[in-house]
Amino acid sequence: LVGSEMCIRDRDFRSTLYWNPNLQTDLSGKCNFSFYSADRITTYKVLIEGMTEEGEIVYEIRELVIK
């Protein structure tokens, strides 16, 4: 840290914040997970893709605001 700011080389500007192809929902269709966001104050597009046990495709796009 330099003063109260991180050095430029230590900042995190990833575009993919989380990827896990093995998440499974409970019987109600919910699951929990956590991740660290990048250091940028922005709005991210969250893309959720998956498949049910019956082979039905699941696809959702949401926004995540980082403040």
Side-chain angles (χ1 to χ4, degrees):
L1 293 177
V2 176
S4 62
E5 303 256 339
M6 278 196 282
C7 294
I8 296 282
R9 64 181 168 76
D10 295 331
R11 291 193 177 167
D12 182 355
F13 296 120
R14 294 170 290 149
S15 61
T16 301
L17 299 181
Y18 183 77
W19 170 255
N20 184 343
N22 298 311
L23 285 178
Q24 292 190 348
T25 62
D26 61 19
L27 293 175
S28 67
K30 297 180 180 181
C31 70
N32 292 312
F33 59 92
S34 62
F35 61 91
Y36 293 99
S37 67
D39 292 333
R40 184 178 315 170
I41 297 173
T42 191
T43 300
Y44 287 99
K45 182 190 304 183
V46 178
L47 193 65
I48 302 164
E49 298 177 305
M51 186 176 292
T52 67
E53 289 182 4
E54 294 78 27
E56 182 181 342
I57 294 174
V58 177
Y59 183 82
E60 186 76 29
I61 298 175
R62 299 283 178 104
E63 288 188 346
L64 173 65
V65 179
I66 305 296
K67 297 181 180 182

